[in-house]
């Protein structure tokens, strides 16, 4: 008979043995049943890495392919996946500290975990299998890679994709000011500018370009598509995912999502551009307080505001603290700020189940009718869509989710929530939206610009639609796009690339001559400016690595914008700002700004006659989400400029602490051109490379091609992929 001490030692030993036998990662233990399931799924998946390191994932079912898709994403950059989900589920403050608290609160006003889990339970079985494949693929990666230490999320759950159903992290929710949210819920005074829709004085325009070419304008008689997102660099991964259930999609995937966001399959392609269609409204609620409870007026009645307790955790030194907020909501939406004694509620699209379904199912569309029927879900709230297919169709949708409003009211600002007539009255049908199908122009485009120039003279007419459907203004890129497409025929993939990289800067077309004129008419000419003026007068308005005119014009325009903002408070969007600078800025102010630009160039680079490529650089050193920049380290010269000036091939750059050179962090990222014929032909390029690991040969192997605007052939068919495959394996091997 064993003593109590012996029995205790045996029990401890058994416990330790079981702990060792039960695989675990961090604080999350994975069960034997889970691991057996994952390994069975992995046996049905094959990942082939081509000669650029791009993963081509093959699975028996869609869920199997998604499992492999997520496993491959984790191999390439797990940190970005985790970061996106920390944002989408509102837990970033647990990693970044109290500064992220109101970003989390903003997310939690719209994303309630219990409600999301209930939606998951309601999902069709096929969709549940997809979401399980998502979670299983990531968790299997964590199990197989114990050296990977998550910041917080040691286990991913199947419901999580419902918090992140569009391709832009945060989506519409990001339009809400965290500063105003903190003023309302945290008691911190707001800035004097109370509107949530404000812009920095010198914003880098974001968005994308999409071109579609009809068979009548292509050399092959097939439709062509340009996919040209302007995003933060390394924001999306390039993947190809195939299943025996009809999935065969290639393109750009936002880290952590299981659908191709901008891309193509063997029959059609889709390109999303950011839209200014009015899909978000602010309702001013008239508040009545009684006995510590809050009500809001609605017609002749008073309705109780829905109050909820939201507890958020945040990192406080080495500890985790928490803070509880009482949040409020009317039937219009959550309360996000106060203005003029009213509480402001925000109404926006919140339909996660249909949104995720629409995002995924569009990738399996085989015809225009299938794609159009998918659009009838009407949950793509922040994007326009450019479309082309192998039947010769090209199309355009300006937005997708569009509330029906009473035209008597102006919804561009805050609307009176106490008037029931201002409520949304359902959604517009697809047929009622601003759209195009096979215009006589033989081409169409959108560059985050007005849809009323999408196909020149064959564009939709504004008088046929409510103002709120398309308040988008024109921009220099839109003007440029029409010029490179109009009247052109015999487009090939290479000619489409040439059009998309045309170096002309429309924004300086009138702006630079206005400066030259200011100098020539000046009665007291500054002799130091004579040579710079001569350079600008002779400049062909085309960007280039060796172009002094490009550098001089951009430095001057930046100084002029800054002066107009600081002295007059002028803060306008893109083309409106360029027009103001051209026609309203005083001649002497233009000349003063040029002097500042000349002095800054000389101080920073030794001479004002510095080529643009010497200043404007691409650098990738660490693969970090926030890449550090250093003038002493290797970088590539880049000819492209900010899209503000009409550059279709955009490169948003600026100096950083400790640098004189300007480094790009956004603009052209994954860019592709596609031809839809009997077979799919495509070419593509990305910033840097596929992998985030500096030790990988695919970390920066595309940077020189990116610099030159050279594209590689996309490998879409398995025989071509196998011919150059670097690695062929099962997840977990």
């Amino acid at each position: 008979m064993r003593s109590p001490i012996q029995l205790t030692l045996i029990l401890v030993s058994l416990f330790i043995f079981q702990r060792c036998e039960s695989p675990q990662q961090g604080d999350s233990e994975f069960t034997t049943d889970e691991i057996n399931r994952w390994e069975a799924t992995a046996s049905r998946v094959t990942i082939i890495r081509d000669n650029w390191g791009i993963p081509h994932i093959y699975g028996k079912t869609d869920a199997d392919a998604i499992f492999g898709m997520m496993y491959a994403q984790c191999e390439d950059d797990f940190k970005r996946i985790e970061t996106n989900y920390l944002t989408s589920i509102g837990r970033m403050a647990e990693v970044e500290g109290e500064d992220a608290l109101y970003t989390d609160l903003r997310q939690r006003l719209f994303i309630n975990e219990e409600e999301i889990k209930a939606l998951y339970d309601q999902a069709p079985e096929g969709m549940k299998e997809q979401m399980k494949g998502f979670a299983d693929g990531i968790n299997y990666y964590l199990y197989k890679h114990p050296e990977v230490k998550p910041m917080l999320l040691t286990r991913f759950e199947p419901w999580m994709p419902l918090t992140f159903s569009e391709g832009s992290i945060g989506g519409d929710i990001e339009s809400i000011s965290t500063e105003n949210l903190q003023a309302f819920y945290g008691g911190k005074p707001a800035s004097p500018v109370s509107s949530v829709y404000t812009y920095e004085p010198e914003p880098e325009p974001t968005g994308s370009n999409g071109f579609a070419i009809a068979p009548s304008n292509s050399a092959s008689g097939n439709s062509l598509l340009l996919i040209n997102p302007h995003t933060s660099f390394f924001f999306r991964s390039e993947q190809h995912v195939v299943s025996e259930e009809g999935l065969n999609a290639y393109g750009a995937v936002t880290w952590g999502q299981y659908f191709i966001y901008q891309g193509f399959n063997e029959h059609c392609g889709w390109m999303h551009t950011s839209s200014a269609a009015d899909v978000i409204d602010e309702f001013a609620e008239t508040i009545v307080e009684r006995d510590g409870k809050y009500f809001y007026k609605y017609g002749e009645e008073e309705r109780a505001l829905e109050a909820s307790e939201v507890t958020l955790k945040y990192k406080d030194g080495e500890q985790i603290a928490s803070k509880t907020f009482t949040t409020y909501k009317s039937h219009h939406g959550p309360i996000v700020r106060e203005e003029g004694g009213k509480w402001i509620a925000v109404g926006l699209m919140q339909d996660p189940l249909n949104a995720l379904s629409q995002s995924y199912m569009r990738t399996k569309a085989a015809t225009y009718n299938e794609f159009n029927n998918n659009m009838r879900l009407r949950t793509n709230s922040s994007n326009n869509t450019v479309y082309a297919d192998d039947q010769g169709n090209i199309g355009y949708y300006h937005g997708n989710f569009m509330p029906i409003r009473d035209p008597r009211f102006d919804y561009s600002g805050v609307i009176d929530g106490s008037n029931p007539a201002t409520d949304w009255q359902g959604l517009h049908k697809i047929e009622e939206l601003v759209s195009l199908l096979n215009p006589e122009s033989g081409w169409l485009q959108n560059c985050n610009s007005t849809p009323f120039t999408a196909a020149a003279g064959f564009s939709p007419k504004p008088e046929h639609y409510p103002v709120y459907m398309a308040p988008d203004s024109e921009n220099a890129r839109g003007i440029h796009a029409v010029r490179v497409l109009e009247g052109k025929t015999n487009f090939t993939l290479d000619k489409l690339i040439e059009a998309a990289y045309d170096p002309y800067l429309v924004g300086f077309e009138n702006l630079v001559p206005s400066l030259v004129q200011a100098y020539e008419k000046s009665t007291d000419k500054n002799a130091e400016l004579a040579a710079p003026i001569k350079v600008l007068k002779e400049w062909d308005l085309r960007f280039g690595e060796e172009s002094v005119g490009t550098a001089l014009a951009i430095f001057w325009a930046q100084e002029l914008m800054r002066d107009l903002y600081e002295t007059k408070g002028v803060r306008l969007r893109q083309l409106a700002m360029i027009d103001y600078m051209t026609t309203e800025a005083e001649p002497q102010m233009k000349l003063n700004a040029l002097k500042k630009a000349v002095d800054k160039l000389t101080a920073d680079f030794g001479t004002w006659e510095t080529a643009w490529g010497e200043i404007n650089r691409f650098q990738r050193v660490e693969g970090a989400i926030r890449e550090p920049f250093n003038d002493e380290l290797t970088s590539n010269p880049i000819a492209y400029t900010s899209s503000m000036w009409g550059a279709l091939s955009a490169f948003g750059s600026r100096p950083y602490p400790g640098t004189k050179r300007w480094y790009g962090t956004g603009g052209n990222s994954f860019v592709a051109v596609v031809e839809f014929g009997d077979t799919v032909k495509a070419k593509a390029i990305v910033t840097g490379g596929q992998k985030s690991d500096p030790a990988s040969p695919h970390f920066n192997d595309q940077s020189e091609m990116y610099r030159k605007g050279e594209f590689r052939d996309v490998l879409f068919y398995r025989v071509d992929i196998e011919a150059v495959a670097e690695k062929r394996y099962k997840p977990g091997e």
Side-chain angles (χ1 to χ4, degrees):
M1 187 172 182
R2 294 184 174 91
S3 69
I5 293 176
Q6 289 176 315
L7 287 172
T8 300
L9 289 172
I10 290 171
L11 289 173
V12 169
S13 298
L14 284 172
F15 175 76
I16 293 172
F17 176 78
Q18 289 172 343
R19 293 281 290 182
C20 292
E21 285 294 297
S22 178
Q24 55 188 299
Q25 166 65 47
D27 296 329
S28 181
E29 296 183 1
F30 300 131
T31 67
T32 301
D33 286 345
E34 285 179 318
I35 294 161
N36 289 340
R37 183 179 76 244
W38 300 339
E39 290 181 341
T41 303
S43 71
R44 301 189 298 269
V45 176
T46 298
I47 301 174
I48 304 175
R49 296 274 181 174
D50 67 23
N51 54 327
W52 296 98
I54 297 162
H56 304 259
I57 300 102
Y58 297 86
K60 186 172 181 61
T61 66
D62 283 9
D64 293 343
I66 289 168
F67 175 98
M69 185 184 192
M70 299 313 303
Y71 190 95
Q73 281 189 42
C74 289
E75 289 182 304
D76 289 342
D77 204 327
F78 171 77
K79 182 171 284 189
R80 279 180 166 81
I81 295 173
E82 185 183 12
T83 297
N84 283 350
Y85 277 97
L86 288 173
T87 300
S88 73
I89 65 178
R91 296 185 65 185
M92 186 59 79
E94 293 176 55
V95 170
E96 293 194 345
E98 194 170 5
D99 287 347
L101 204 56
Y102 289 91
T103 300
D104 286 351
L105 179 62
R106 177 175 65 183
Q107 202 70 14
R108 296 284 189 93
L109 289 177
F110 297 90
I111 302 294
N112 179 289
E113 185 174 318
E114 295 308 312
E115 291 175 0
I116 292 294
K117 288 178 177 177
L119 284 177
Y120 171 80
D121 291 338
Q122 298 167 22
E125 283 306 311
M127 194 172 180
K128 279 185 181 176
E129 289 302 310
Q130 293 166 15
M131 289 188 272
K132 289 175 184 175
F134 153 87
D136 286 353
I138 300 176
N139 290 331
Y140 188 48
Y141 171 82
L142 291 175
Y143 161 62
K144 296 297 289 187
H145 294 81
E147 75 281 3
V148 173
K149 305 299 181 184
M151 294 179 284
L152 182 68
L153 301 178
T154 57
R155 175 184 289 270
F156 283 70
E157 302 290 346
W159 54 267
M160 287 181 176
L162 290 170
T163 69
F164 186 18
S165 56
E166 279 200 312
S168 299
I169 183 69
D172 299 330
I173 296 173
E174 284 190 339
S175 67
I176 296 166
S177 163
T178 54
E179 182 184 15
N180 289 328
L181 205 62
Q182 185 172 2
F184 187 82
Y185 287 112
K188 179 181 178 180
S191 65
V193 180
S194 58
S195 172
V196 297
Y197 304 108
T198 60
Y199 299 93
E200 295 298 321
E202 301 170 37
E204 172 55 35
T206 57
S208 306
N209 303 334
F211 298 172
I213 308 296
S216 60
N217 280 10
S218 75
S220 63
N222 298 322
S223 300
L224 306 176
L225 179 68
L226 168 72
I227 298 171
N228 184 191
H230 293 167
T231 66
S232 300
F233 294 158
F234 322 115
F235 184 62
R236 298 195 174 103
S237 170
E238 187 171 349
Q239 289 193 301
H240 179 203
V241 56
V242 185
S243 82
E244 295 177 21
E245 294 182 330
L247 177 65
N248 188 5
Y250 189 110
V253 183
T254 306
W255 296 104
Q257 295 188 319
Y258 68 77
F259 54 85
I260 300 294
Y261 179 63
Q262 292 159 318
F264 58 94
N265 58 37
E266 64 267 53
H267 298 293
C268 66
W270 53 95
M271 170 60 206
H272 298 307
T273 65
S274 299
S275 180
D278 186 1
V279 297
I280 304 173
D281 282 327
E282 295 183 310
F283 296 88
E285 311 290 17
T286 303
I287 302 300
V288 177
E289 182 182 2
R290 279 200 307 274
D291 301 325
K293 295 183 178 179
Y294 294 98
F295 302 81
Y296 65 103
K297 293 184 178 180
Y298 185 68
E300 298 300 318
E301 60 179 305
E302 289 181 358
R303 293 185 173 185
L305 279 172
E306 179 183 329
S308 301
E309 297 290 309
V310 176
T311 299
L312 299 176
K313 296 178 181 179
Y314 62 93
K315 186 177 180 181
D316 184 11
E318 297 301 315
Q319 305 296 318
I320 294 294
S322 65
K323 191 169 186 177
T324 298
F325 300 88
T326 301
T327 63
Y328 298 96
K329 183 178 181 180
S330 74
H331 74 285
H332 294 119
I335 304 297
V336 298
R337 63 190 175 92
E338 183 176 6
E339 182 178 296
K342 308 278 188 177
W343 287 12
I344 309 300
V346 169
L348 50 76
M349 193 282 293
Q350 273 297 102
D351 189 1
L353 204 58
N354 280 325
L356 184 59
S357 177
Q358 181 172 354
S359 292
Y360 181 74
M361 291 307 297
R362 79 164 66 93
T363 71
K364 298 185 71 172
T367 65
Y368 170 76
N369 284 339
E370 287 183 13
F371 192 90
N372 192 61
N373 285 337
N374 178 264
M375 293 291 280
R376 294 183 190 282
L377 287 174
R378 296 174 293 176
T379 56
N380 191 351
S381 61
S382 59
N383 296 311
N384 308 314
T385 304
V386 178
Y387 170 91
D389 67 26
D390 62 357
Q391 298 302 303
N393 296 304
I394 63 172
Y396 175 71
Y397 301 84
H398 194 74
N400 182 239
F401 169 89
M402 181 57 62
I404 299 172
R405 289 117 160 167
D406 189 324
R408 293 176 299 169
F409 302 101
D410 178 9
Y411 287 85
S412 63
V414 179
I415 201 78
D416 181 9
S418 68
N419 186 347
T422 65
D423 277 5
W424 290 353
Q425 303 298 319
L427 299 179
H428 282 282
K429 298 177 181 177
I430 289 293
E431 292 76 14
E432 297 171 343
L433 302 180
V434 184
S435 62
L436 274 171
L437 179 63
N438 300 326
E440 291 181 46
S441 58
W443 58 268
L444 56 83
Q445 61 80 29
N446 184 260
C447 299
N448 318 115
S449 45
T450 172
F452 304 125
T453 59
F458 301 98
S459 304
K461 307 302 179 188
E463 59 269 21
H464 296 163
Y465 304 96
V467 172
Y468 56 75
M469 275 193 184
D472 315 62
S473 58
E474 187 59 282
N475 60 36
R477 269 184 299 135
I479 294 170
H480 194 180
V482 170
R483 291 185 187 178
V484 299
L485 296 174
E486 193 169 23
K488 309 293 193 307
T489 57
N490 295 317
F491 272 105
T492 62
L493 292 182
D494 288 336
K495 287 183 178 179
L496 188 55
I497 292 170
E498 184 180 344
Y501 280 71
D502 184 83
Y504 189 74
L505 296 176
V506 172
F508 288 114
E509 201 167 55
N510 297 314
L511 185 55
V512 165
S514 77
L515 170 63
V516 173
Q517 185 181 55
Y519 182 77
E520 291 178 343
K521 289 187 174 182
S522 174
T523 58
D524 185 20
K525 292 182 175 62
N526 184 338
E528 292 180 40
L529 299 184
I533 286 290
K534 185 175 186 294
V535 168
L536 289 171
K537 188 173 183 178
E538 294 175 355
W539 179 43
D540 62 2
L541 304 185
R542 286 170 166 77
F543 61 62
E545 288 181 19
E546 302 301 321
S547 172
V548 173
T550 304
L552 191 56
I554 289 173
F555 269 64
W556 165 67
Q558 292 277 35
E559 291 294 341
L560 183 57
M561 277 198 293
R562 185 177 293 109
D563 288 349
L564 286 168
Y565 175 70
E566 291 177 353
T567 62
K568 298 186 178 184
V570 177
R571 180 172 17 206
L572 300 170
R573 296 297 309 273
Q574 298 191 48
L575 199 58
M577 188 68 197
I578 293 171
D579 289 342
Y580 189 97
M581 292 162 67
T582 303
T583 61
E584 301 299 323
E586 293 88 350
Q588 192 57 50
M589 179 176 277
K590 294 178 182 179
L591 295 174
N592 291 343
L594 181 60
K595 179 63 167 61
K596 290 179 183 178
V598 167
D599 290 346
K600 184 166 181 55
L601 281 164
T602 302
D604 288 353
F605 302 101
T607 173
W608 64 265
E609 295 180 277
T610 302
W612 178 234
E614 183 63 29
I615 300 166
N616 198 47
R617 313 292 286 192
F618 170 77
Q619 187 177 82
R620 193 182 196 198
V621 177
E622 293 185 5
I625 292 177
R626 295 181 180 89
E627 186 77 26
F629 297 110
N630 189 329
D631 287 345
E632 301 302 316
L633 300 179
T634 300
S635 61
N636 297 78
I638 298 294
Y640 324 134
T641 78
S642 166
S643 65
M644 171 80 180
W645 313 114
L648 295 169
S649 49
F651 189 81
S653 63
R654 64 177 178 84
Y656 285 80
T659 77
K660 301 295 185 184
R661 285 173 157 175
W662 294 18
Y663 295 95
T665 56
N668 275 24
S669 47
F670 168 78
V671 187
V673 288
V674 193
E675 180 179 334
F676 298 97
D678 294 334
T679 59
V680 174
K681 298 176 183 177
K683 296 185 176 186
I685 192 66
V686 296
T687 43
Q690 177 71 18
K691 303 282 282 186
S692 66
D693 180 4
S696 168
H698 301 301
F699 176 69
N700 233 4
D701 57 338
Q702 297 183 54
S703 59
E704 188 64 16
M705 295 174 67
Y706 176 86
R707 167 195 174 188
K708 296 176 179 178
E710 296 175 354
F711 283 49
R712 53 184 164 72
D713 291 332
V714 166
L715 302 172
F716 189 75
Y717 296 99
R718 188 155 183 171
V719 63
D720 299 321
I721 298 161
E722 295 274 13
V724 298
E726 286 187 349
K727 188 178 180 183
R728 188 180 190 276
Y729 59 102
K730 302 286 186 184
E733 292 181 351

